Amino acid sequence: TLSFNLPESVPSSPTSSVFSDSSEITMSSASSRPDSTRQTSADVAERDYFNENPAPASLEKYTKQAKEFIDFHAAAGRRVVLVTSGGTTVPLERQTVRFIDNFSAGTRGATSAEYFLESGYAVIFLHRQFSLLPYSRHYSHATDCFLDFLHEGPDGSVVANEEYQSKMLKVLRQYNSAKKQNLLLTLPFTTINDYLFVLRSIAQLMRPLGPSGLLYLAAAVSDFFVPPERMVEHKIQSTNATDSQKNSAKENVESEETFDNFDSSPAVPRSKRLIVDLDPVPKFLKNLVDGWAPEGMIVSFKLETDPEILVHKAQYSLDRYQHHLVIGNLLSTRKWEVVFVAPGQSDKWIRVPRRRKTIVGKENIPDGGEESDRPLNPNDLPEGE
Ligand code: PMT
């Protein structure tokens, strides 16, 4: 079993369990919150970002849906988790043809959501559109086309192939049960901006839940973006074929659509280069912990590729944001091992056998898995995994 004791410095009440009533993973509300009347640089960054960037068209609808969902489950005394999942995009044009993406298939988020449902949580699944979803993930992005799981029965009906039937029936029952009890709300996002607006809104709605509200931030969040004042309207051109047309139309008035977000004198002609100058996305985890959901349980993920820095970065994140748990993972080994970094506790590596393709909770550990205080060597992993 995996057990985390409350650190001395963190008040022991109120408490909440992450995975289930009987789980050994117990966390308290974050220790120290700043004076709510004082405006910090994080407050200013938040005000500026949300004033300067346009709210997504879906914000109102999603906020309404999330509010109804949270109120419904709060009235029933049920714990609610917001699971974020998948990568956020950074558009380069307003009418977006090109964008920068963040790595994530949504496996961690979708799988975790299933385990949370199994543990009695109601789940708001804020995910990248078309990334993996709880339950359907078993089939939707399989190497086979989902139609390969099916065949036509003698009476013209659609039937699952014999070898998939028992698992499919189990998954279908779990999915239908979650749906019937209104336990799963799925909300899609695409861009980093969509994500941040909806995250803030839902986190604030979860505030009255106190420690029964868990925020489980597995989405891969872009660290850099093109701010609106530097984003062009139309598709960035790779040649200057339209320049003369534009010049004659505008009589040497500088086009508002020139992609000009970097002031330098490149050796290669500008017409052949694409220079993308990105601003940092404010670190809103700070605002989330201190202001949006200060009584909530907050679990964030830290993704790195260099094993030498993972634990240090996870620890840094915990120190900086003062939340409850950082789960660190390496790109190359994320399906088999993670490290839990919690306040006042020693780091715990949790590992599952490689044939089990998911890590979520302690349920996976006894089946040949283990805990330890050190990472795997990524070089030991099979090629291509
Ligand atoms: O979906 P899979 O393919 O299964 O992959 C799962 C995963 C590897 C994506 C997942 O396990 C994971 O690690 N998710 C977090 C990825 C990520 O954004 O890591 P990061 O180190 O860049 O960010 C760490 C933390 O900083 C995040 O909790 C984020 O909320 C926070 N952050 C990031 C950017 C930003 N502008 N503000 C933030 O507060």
Side-chain angles (χ1 to χ4, degrees):
T1 57
L2 171 72
S3 92
F4 274 84
N5 301 318
L6 285 174
E8 297 277 319
S9 58
V10 176
S12 59
S13 177
T15 60
S16 171
S17 144
V18 186
F19 292 102
S20 70
D21 285 330
S22 60
S23 169
E24 283 82 2
I25 304 170
T26 308
M27 302 186 299
S28 82
S29 301
S31 51
S32 55
R33 307 294 189 202
D35 176 358
S36 59
T37 55
R38 211 183 46 205
Q39 206 173 49
T40 63
S41 59
D43 296 331
V44 174
E46 176 181 339
R47 186 200 59 205
D48 290 351
Y49 182 90
F50 289 101
N51 280 341
E52 288 162 13
N53 289 276
S58 54
L59 182 65
E60 207 177 311
K61 182 175 140 202
Y62 290 177
T63 304
K64 186 167 174 284
Q65 285 179 283
K67 182 169 177 5
E68 284 168 10
F69 187 84
I70 291 166
D71 289 349
F72 176 82
H73 292 292
R78 192 171 287 118
R79 290 171 300 178
V80 178
V81 59
L82 169 66
V83 175
T84 72
S85 182
T88 52
T89 69
V90 172
L92 299 183
E93 302 123 340
R94 283 206 178 91
Q95 296 193 37
T96 308
V97 175
R98 278 65 161 263
F99 56 87
I100 301 171
D101 208 346
N102 249 49
F103 159 83
S104 172
T107 316
R108 175 88 67 222
T111 311
S112 301
E114 289 178 15
Y115 279 81
F116 280 122
L117 286 162
E118 216 175 276
S119 304
Y121 278 82
V123 177
I124 302 176
F125 190 66
L126 179 60
H127 66 283
R128 166 73 175 277
Q129 189 177 37
F130 308 129
S131 65
L132 292 172
L133 291 171
Y135 304 119
S136 73
R137 75 181 172 95
H138 298 278
Y139 307 100
S140 60
H141 294 51
T143 42
D144 301 326
C145 165
F146 82 95
L147 293 171
D148 292 333
F149 293 98
L150 309 170
H151 67 272
E152 189 176 337
D155 57 353
S157 59
V158 177
V159 182
N161 295 349
E162 183 75 31
E163 66 272 35
Y164 303 121
Q165 277 186 4
S166 64
K167 183 181 168 193
M168 208 179 265
L169 183 62
K170 186 173 165 220
V171 172
L172 183 66
R173 282 182 178 154
Q174 287 171 326
Y175 173 66
N176 282 339
S177 161
K179 254 197 348 190
K180 199 167 149 204
Q181 298 174 75
N182 184 29
L183 287 171
L184 177 61
L185 175 65
T186 58
L187 301 174
F189 63 78
T190 303
T191 67
I192 175 70
N193 190 54
D194 299 346
Y195 170 80
L196 291 174
F197 267 93
V198 180
L199 174 67
R200 181 172 74 153
S201 176
I202 298 178
Q204 289 170 339
L205 288 172
M206 287 179 67
R207 196 173 173 165
L209 296 172
S212 313
L214 170 58
L215 294 104
Y216 183 88
L217 308 170
V221 184
S222 316
D223 286 315
F224 303 99
F225 77 123
V226 181
E229 70 276 12
R230 294 212 306 269
M231 200 186 295
V232 290
E233 176 68 24
H234 292 294
K235 183 185 172 205
I236 298 164
Q237 297 298 308
S238 60
T239 69
N240 56 6
T242 57
D243 281 3
S244 57
Q245 186 194 345
K246 277 187 183 158
N247 286 343
S248 61
K250 296 197 174 176
E251 299 234 325
N252 291 332
V253 175
E254 199 184 336
S255 165
E256 286 174 6
E257 288 161 13
T258 305
F259 187 76
D260 190 16
N261 73 350
F262 188 77
D263 188 17
S264 75
S265 308
V268 178
R270 190 165 199 113
S271 60
K272 292 201 164 46
R273 291 173 65 130
L274 174 62
I275 300 166
V276 181
D277 189 15
L278 303 170
D279 276 9
V281 175
K283 296 288 182 194
F284 284 127
L285 194 48
K286 180 90 194 128
N287 306 63
L288 190 148
V289 173
D290 290 341
W292 303 350
E295 306 299 332
M297 297 292 132
I298 299 170
V299 176
S300 72
F301 280 79
K302 181 91 222 130
L303 174 66
E304 293 296 342
T305 54
D306 179 354
E308 298 295 318
I309 64 170
L310 176 65
V311 171
H312 173 76
K313 293 289 292 284
Q315 190 64 58
Y316 177 82
S317 176
L318 200 64
D319 293 344
R320 184 170 180 188
Y321 303 122
Q322 299 281 300
H323 54 306
H324 305 93
L325 176 65
V326 178
I327 305 180
N329 52 178
L330 292 167
L331 185 66
S332 55
T333 59
R334 70 193 183 284
K335 293 193 176 169
W336 303 284
E337 64 169 12
V338 294
V339 58
F340 276 35
V341 180
Q345 297 174 38
S346 52
D347 313 331
K348 280 249 159 64
W349 286 89
I350 301 169
R351 190 166 300 130
V352 297
R354 280 173 220 163
R355 66 189 156 77
R356 294 281 299 264
K357 288 257 170 151
T358 58
I359 284 190
V360 176
K362 60 179 180 155
E363 293 90 333
N364 279 338
I365 296 172
D367 187 16
E370 56 171 305
E371 288 174 46
S372 86
D373 56 3
R374 60 171 184 82
L376 273 182
N377 181 351
N379 297 330
D380 294 342
L381 293 172
E383 281 290 309
E385 291 277 37

